[in-house]
Amino acid sequence: MRQAYIKKENSKRSKQKQRGCTQPKMGKMDIDYQDLHGAFFKYQTKPNLTSHGDLYYEGKEFEVKLREMKPGMLSRKLKEALGMPDGAPPPWLKSMQLYGPPPSYPCLKILGLNAPVSPGDSFDDAPGEWGNPPIGEEEPLDRSKHWG
């Protein structure tokens, strides 16, 4: 629309331009109503809405949605960033074996802590090994084994 207005202004003679300065008129732009209709009704997209009761702040719509992520599951990018080869335990596993699972996720199954590891993996304190054998679901964490 602006280009059409500029083209129309450039085609005027100097006398017509001067007359426009002394007698200004509102609504000089020729509006293409088809373009406006397309912008508002055809190509308009709905914004991402927050759920009811959420506090909105600037930039909330650009945050990463973590619905597909689950606690305890490590993404490929995170494993690469930590330098973990495939099938290796996470670096914090031995601390979890010593202090227990995170208190915010008491029922979380963690390989090498309260869930069995894949066959062929061994338990030892060497680097790349899975530390102490996992404790069963119903047994409480026995810290005496780790402290003694």
Side-chain angles (χ1 to χ4, degrees):
M1 286 192 284
R2 287 186 183 135
Q3 291 172 349
Y5 178 72
I6 292 170
K7 189 175 178 183
K8 185 179 176 184
E9 282 293 315
N10 289 339
S11 66
K12 286 184 180 180
R13 293 180 296 217
S14 62
K15 200 169 197 179
Q16 289 174 325
K17 288 180 186 178
Q18 290 297 326
R19 193 178 309 131
C21 292
T22 58
Q23 300 171 352
K25 294 183 179 173
M26 299 304 289
K28 291 190 292 185
M29 287 183 65
D30 293 333
I31 297 173
D32 187 6
Y33 289 101
Q34 286 299 104
D35 289 345
L36 281 177
H37 183 270
F40 282 100
F41 298 105
K42 192 173 181 182
Y43 301 112
Q44 185 178 25
T45 58
K46 290 189 175 188
N48 293 333
L49 301 176
T50 60
S51 59
H52 182 68
D54 278 359
L55 181 66
Y56 179 80
Y57 47 88
E58 189 173 350
K60 183 171 184 157
E61 61 270 9
F62 301 116
E63 283 187 348
V64 178
K65 304 285 190 273
L66 297 176
R67 291 183 185 185
E68 65 273 358
M69 302 297 287
K70 294 186 175 159
M73 300 297 293
L74 302 178
S75 67
R76 183 185 49 79
K77 284 184 176 181
L78 179 60
K79 286 181 179 180
E80 287 176 7
L82 292 172
M84 291 175 53
D86 288 337
W92 53 84
L93 177 67
K94 291 182 183 173
S95 295
M96 281 188 179
Q97 288 174 343
L98 185 61
Y99 300 112
S104 55
Y105 298 104
C107 298
L108 181 66
K109 300 288 183 217
I110 301 169
L111 294 178
L113 183 66
N114 55 6
V117 295
S118 58
D121 290 333
S122 60
F123 293 100
D124 195 14
D125 285 333
E129 300 293 325
W130 287 83
N132 296 321
I135 297 170
E137 291 179 24
E138 53 278 337
E139 293 180 41
L141 188 65
D142 185 15
R143 290 195 173 103
S144 64
K145 282 197 290 188
H146 305 287
W147 291 96

